[in-house]
């Protein structure tokens, strides 16, 4: 397998984010009726790190057509404000009401262009390495610092061929699933350990832990629960 100067496979290339996604695309609102029900996603509806997003919120189009960020199914939401960005509040938008959603103005919207896997973009921008770099390039006053559109648009992203993007996403999700199972197994083991510890303490004060020792030495319990030596 040939590799390029960056150590990546030869077929990969470096691109600007603005070359592979549409950053904060506009929504043609003409013809959308005011009473149309749409999904609504406030910042708390996106979990940190996990990519889990709650799209169960509903609003009338008339309530959100001004002052909110529009997005569509398959878009990547990227929290741009501190500390939400550093905490990893990013997600791929799943199926939503009437295919249209609105959310916090503190989201950047990344819409993958043809041949680009939206989940590949999500995993890249949500990686800790990318977030750390973005943190060092935020603008604004303390407590209100944000990742700007020009900065995000100009960021480099390693881009493999489309089929390779799909394979990478599938492998990431397979390994994440295994990690999740491992975490569940650890939690189960921790609960079992707590039960076992309490059982040991109970047996200790019932004389069961030293039963074999007494039997080997022909020691019989004395009245009152003590031992006759």
């Amino acid at each position: 397998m040939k590799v390029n100067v960056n150590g990546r496979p030869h077929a990969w290339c470096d691109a600007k984010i603005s070359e592979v996604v549409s950053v904060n695309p506009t929504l043609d609102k003409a013809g959308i009726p005011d009473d149309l029900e749409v999904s609504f996603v406030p910042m708390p509806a996106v979990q940190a790190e996990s990519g889990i997003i709650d799209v169960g919120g509903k609003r009338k189009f008339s309530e959100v057509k001004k002052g909110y960020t529009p997005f569509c199914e398959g878009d990547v939401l990227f929290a741009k404000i501190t500390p939400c960005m550093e905490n990893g509040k990013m997600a791929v938008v799943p199926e939503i009401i009437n295919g249209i959603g609105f959310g916090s103005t503190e989201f950047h919207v990344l819409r993958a262009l043809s041949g680009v896997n939206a989940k590949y973009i999500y995993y890249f921008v949500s990686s800790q390495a990318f977030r750390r770099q973005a943190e060092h390039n935020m603008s604004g006053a303390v407590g209100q610092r944000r990742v700007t559109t020009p900065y995000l648009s100009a960021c480099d992203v390693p881009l493999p061929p489309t089929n390779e993007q799909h394979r990478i996403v599938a492998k990431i999700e397979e390994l994440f699933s295994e990690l999740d199972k491992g975490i569940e197994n650890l939690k189960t083991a921790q609960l079992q350990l707590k039960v076992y510890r309490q059982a040991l303490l109970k047996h200790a004060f019932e004389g069961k832990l030293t039963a074999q020792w007494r039997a080997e030495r022909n020691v019989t319990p004395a009245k009152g629960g003590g031992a006759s030596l």
Side-chain angles (χ1 to χ4, degrees):
M1 179 178 63
K2 295 181 179 179
V3 296
N4 58 29
V5 293
N6 295 317
R8 302 189 188 108
H10 186 69
W12 292 38
C13 65
D14 287 319
K16 302 296 182 185
I17 282 184
S18 60
E19 295 174 331
V20 297
V21 305
S22 177
V23 181
N24 298 322
T26 58
L27 173 68
D28 184 3
K29 300 176 183 178
I32 301 178
D34 281 347
D35 62 351
L36 183 73
E37 207 168 52
V38 297
S39 292
F40 184 73
V41 179
M43 186 63 71
V46 178
Q47 290 187 14
E49 297 282 356
S50 69
I52 295 174
I53 177 174
D54 180 4
V55 294
K58 302 176 183 179
R59 296 279 182 91
K60 296 294 185 181
F61 176 66
S62 60
E63 300 172 20
V64 295
K65 63 182 179 180
K66 294 181 180 178
Y68 292 98
T69 299
F71 53 83
C72 298
E73 293 174 13
D75 288 347
V76 177
L77 298 186
F78 178 98
K80 59 187 175 184
I81 193 168
T82 189
C84 299
M85 190 283 295
E86 297 96 311
N87 292 340
K89 280 181 170 275
M90 293 94 181
V92 179
V93 179
E95 183 177 352
I96 51 179
I97 302 168
N98 292 312
I100 304 172
F102 287 81
S104 168
T105 56
E106 300 299 349
F107 285 126
H108 281 308
V109 177
L110 308 179
R111 184 168 299 162
L113 301 180
S114 178
V116 179
N117 187 313
K119 285 189 175 181
Y120 177 83
I121 297 299
Y122 159 71
Y123 284 123
F124 177 73
V125 299
S126 65
S127 68
Q128 195 170 76
F130 184 86
R131 284 185 277 140
R132 283 177 177 170
Q133 190 65 29
E135 181 182 1
H136 293 310
N137 289 276
M138 297 177 93
S139 299
V142 175
Q144 291 292 316
R145 302 181 70 236
R146 295 175 174 85
V147 176
T148 67
T149 300
Y151 169 77
L152 186 60
S153 299
C155 286
D156 291 324
V157 54
L159 191 68
T162 303
N163 288 341
E164 183 77 356
Q165 293 174 41
H166 296 325
R167 287 192 290 268
I168 289 170
V169 167
K171 192 62 178 180
I172 288 173
E173 294 183 342
E174 174 191 339
L175 295 175
F176 277 5
S177 178
E178 291 180 6
L179 288 173
D180 289 340
K181 290 179 183 177
I183 291 171
E184 287 303 314
N185 290 338
L186 285 174
K187 288 179 179 178
T188 300
Q190 287 176 331
L191 290 174
Q192 291 173 339
L193 181 60
K194 288 181 181 179
V195 173
Y196 182 61
R197 285 169 62 91
Q198 292 306 311
L200 282 178
L201 292 175
K202 183 175 183 291
H203 289 173
F205 296 108
E206 290 176 346
K208 294 179 180 178
L209 291 187
T210 53
Q212 183 178 350
W213 182 88
R214 291 196 306 275
E216 290 172 349
R217 292 162 178 77
N218 197 29
V219 177
T220 58
K223 291 182 179 180
S228 176
L229 299 178

